[in-house]
Amino acid sequence: MSSSQKIRKAVLPVAGLGTRFLPATKAMPKEMLTIVDRPIIQHVVDEARAAGIEHFIFVTGRNKTVIEDHFDKQVELETTLQERGKIEQLEMLNDLLPKAGQTSYTRQQSPKGLGHAVWCARDLVGNEPFALLLPDVLVQGPSKGCMAQMMDVYENNGGNILAVEEVAPDQTSQYGVVSIANQEQLKIDGMVEKPAPGTAPSNLIIMGRYILQPEIFDILATQTKGAGGEIQLTDAMKTLMDSQDFYACAYEGRSFDCGSKIGFLAANVAFALSRDDIGQDFRNAIRQLID
């Protein structure tokens, strides 16, 4: 059993423009688009909280203040719900809120890539390991969420943990891809960002959930631009791999890329079908549409 330092903080990069969802994202952040009746970002925060995360660090950009408002108390709304006797809804809203002092916000002032967004959180994270959750990705699975499964791997191995999943070989050029040295421990010995078709070291892609050690910040501070002309987190992790161990977590569950329209729509269908309150009625409605 590893004596790894507890993961208390999570970084959530939410500075992206969401151009693939225009005009919906012209005045509303893409992270606030809803999966059934909860914003995407709420689903991601819920996953992190269930894994024991205590502090949420949002790396934001312009026009993202609505995210801050969402994770704050709304006195007028709460008063109205109280007056109308809607106690169940009021309690639900209060349960979703992080406690006072558990959220922090910092700005990524220019779009220089995921690596740069992570680096922007360095002072808020400090010298401790942290979780990184990409809010474009939602995971639906068993009772234990993806990040909670990663925490189990981290407690056993320490080091750095990456959630991975298998994709068809012809899709690997769209993602960061890892190679595995030890199949039993799933120890990673290499990774590449968006490899050219036919050159990927495996079909295991980096899925959008990470546990990283704080030394990544020193590497990102001098990281040169990589694929797409951006500062790539994968490149910095490759450097960190020279001195620290990386392990893959082949989590149980299914991921949805909510940064794409198809992934977003599929997530809405999957999450709606899994709901006890609306699942069966929604299934019947889909059958009627198909028929």
Side-chain angles (χ1 to χ4, degrees), residues 186-212:
L186 288 181
K187 187 174 182 180
I188 298 171
D189 67 349
M191 61 185 78
V192 59
E193 181 67 25
K194 297 181 179 178
T199 67
S202 74
N203 68 334
L204 290 175
I205 65 165
I206 303 171
M207 189 278 296
R209 300 288 188 270
Y210 312 72
I211 293 174
L212 297 170

Side-chain angles (χ1 to χ4, degrees), residues 217-232:
F217 293 122
D218 291 335
I219 298 171
L220 287 169
T222 58
Q223 182 66 53
T224 57
K225 294 179 180 179
E230 297 182 334
I231 298 174
Q232 295 290 348

